[in-house]
Every structure is written in C-alpha cells, then in structure tokens.
Amino acid sequence: MARDDLIGGALWEEYSQEVQKRMNQPSNMGEITESEALGNRLIIADFGAESCGDAVRLYWLIDPKTDQIKKSKFKSFGCGTAIASSDMMAELCMNKTVDDALKITNIDVEKALRDNPDIPAVPGQKMHCSVMAYDVIKKAASIYKGVDMDTLESEFIVCECARVSQDTLQEVIKLNKLSSIEEIVDFTKAGGFCKSCIKPGGHEKKDIYLVDLLAELLQERTAEENARKIIEAKGEGKFEAMSLVQKIKSVESILEEYIRPTLKADGGNVELIDINDGNSVFNVLIKYQGECMSCSMNTTTTLAGIEDMLSFKLKAPIKVVVT
C-alpha cells in the first residue's frame, strides 16, 4: 500500500476513498509506444516539481485530423498523491481535443477525486500534486502545437493551487475593498490549499505573495482616501468646481465600482462618452455595450439607476443621456 503521504495514521483519513483507490490501483498508468500510434501522433511530455522532487510523464495519442486525444496514459515518479492525481488527470484528458484538455485545471483534477463534493480529496499541503498534473498537460500541448510552454499561459498565476491570477486578485481586492488574507481566501480561494502563496516560508517559493500584494493595494487605497480627504477639506471636492478631466474621472470611478459589475454579470457594459453643462444640470453622455444595447430597460430602469447613483455619489444634478 502506497502510504508515503502519511504523517501518522490520522492523516490517512484526510484522503478520499477515490484517492486511496487510485494510489494503489491506478487505471491509466503505463506507457504508449509508437507501435500503437496507427496513424495517430504520439506525444510524450515530462514535468517535475522542484519543490518536492516528484515528476510525471504523460503519454498522448492524438488524431492529427481532429486534435482529439484518443489515448492517455502516465508514469509518475513521486508520492501516492501524485500517482492518484496523475491517474485522474490522464482520464480527464481522454477523448478531449488538445484545446479542451488545456482547460482542465488542478481544481478539476482535485474535485474529480472527491468522494463528497464539499470535502477536499487531499490535505491542503498535497494540493501541489494536482498542480503538477495541470502543468504536464500544458507541456504536452506545447509539444503538440510546437510552441513554447509559457505562451499557453496568458496571465501571471499567483496561486497555482486555485489557478488565481494577479490581475484577478487585484480586481477582486479593489472591487470588494478586501483588507485581510482571510477575506482574499474567502472570495478567491487563493491561499486556501497549500498556502505557499500567502507569505514566504511555505511549501514552494513564489515570485509574488498575497501579503505583499494586499499591502501594496492597501497602501494605494490609503493614499487615495487621504487625497480625497484633503480635497474635501479644501472645498475642492464639489463636482461643480471640478475640471472636465476631474469630472470624467469621478464619473468613471462610480461607473466602475457600482454600475459595470452588475451590467457585466448580464453580458453588458457602459461607456462614458462625454460630460457637458446643461441648464442647471450636468449631462453625462453614455453608450451601452453588449447585451445592454438590446435590453428593453436600457432607457428606463437601467438608465434611472445609473442617473440616481451618479447624482447620489457626486452630490450634483446629473442627467444621463444615451447616445
């Protein structure tokens, strides 16, 4: 029985029955040879985790006409969790196209290994094993496509376990005004597994840590609030007294924080076109985008909501005009 993951008998209970089964009896372990290709293309990809010394080799037989993975097997040089994760990863790849296989994340692998949808399949410190499964898929796809592996990653990933990018973290922290690591974990799941990305000293060394990212954004938030307080103290915060550029920035900030998230959730958006002075009112010219363009409420409920929010936040007479 493969029990090299254990730290005492109690930890064994933190592994799902599915993980334990695949540790001992993996169904997709083995190799594929050229003699089995029969017109398909054989891809062999290796990937190793420097942090723990584990390594996995992935075999794909791909139909070059359809890019479909006809057969998928693996070899693992590592712990029992790496074997179980690699076994599930190889299974999830089967009969998918290469592009669809690239969409398989480490979370998909881990969730597929759960006995209960709400209970993790492995302890948090072993989550990196399913990350390795994701990375070897990317390596195999890069070989098949003839491109560098790094070109298949469009964003900088801070949390490998939950596949959360730096851009996503910054957006969520700003939008929801998060101020603690606990809130970040709750909103994004970043840092909720092996915890290496939270601060230095974890299982793996990272280029960016959540504590540093949060500290930087909190500093920016404090600076913005201090600047706003200074402006308000000088009496310069009134919308009427602002320059056109300041008016545009003020309206944009409100649209971004209070209006666009709701519109984007329904496939729409809004663009600020211009601001001009009318008779005792400020005309805010907007243009709807996406689903908002054809929405029956874009000149009634939605328009009134935008107008009310701008008037309330800016403490000024606002009329929103759709162009």
Side-chain angles (χ1 to χ4, degrees), residues 174-233:
K174 289 180 179 178
L175 184 62
N176 298 284
K177 293 183 170 58
L178 306 185
S179 57
S180 70
I181 294 297
E182 291 74 18
E183 288 177 326
I184 294 174
V185 175
D186 185 44
F187 274 74
T188 70
K189 307 307 177 189
F193 296 94
C194 78
K195 305 186 186 307
S196 294
C197 63
I198 293 179
K199 60 183 179 180
H203 184 75
E204 296 181 4
K205 185 178 179 181
K206 299 290 182 179
D207 293 324
I208 295 177
Y209 293 95
L210 296 182
V211 290
D212 299 324
L213 190 61
L214 178 60
E216 181 181 335
L217 292 175
L218 287 177
Q219 188 175 10
E220 288 181 10
R221 188 185 303 165
T222 300
E224 290 173 359
E225 289 176 353
N226 289 338
R228 178 180 55 79
K229 289 177 182 178
I230 291 172
I231 290 174
E232 289 177 352

Side-chain angles (χ1 to χ4, degrees), residues 126-166:
K126 301 303 295 183
M127 189 66 184
H128 67 278
C129 295
S130 57
V131 174
M132 187 170 65
Y134 169 82
D135 283 327
V136 79
I137 288 176
K138 194 165 62 172
K139 181 66 177 292
S142 71
I143 294 172
Y144 180 71
K145 291 173 175 287
V147 299
D148 188 87
M149 183 174 168
D150 291 337
T151 65
L152 299 178
E153 190 68 79
S154 59
E155 297 183 283
F156 181 81
I157 303 298
V158 175
C159 178
E160 292 285 352
C161 292
R163 302 299 299 169
V164 186
S165 70
Q166 182 177 357

Side-chain angles (χ1 to χ4, degrees), residues 4-21:
D4 47 340
D5 287 292
L6 289 177
I7 306 174
L11 186 56
W12 187 253
E13 297 177 0
E14 294 189 41
Y15 293 82
S16 70
Q17 291 298 312
E18 185 68 22
V19 168
Q20 295 181 43
K21 181 186 77 174

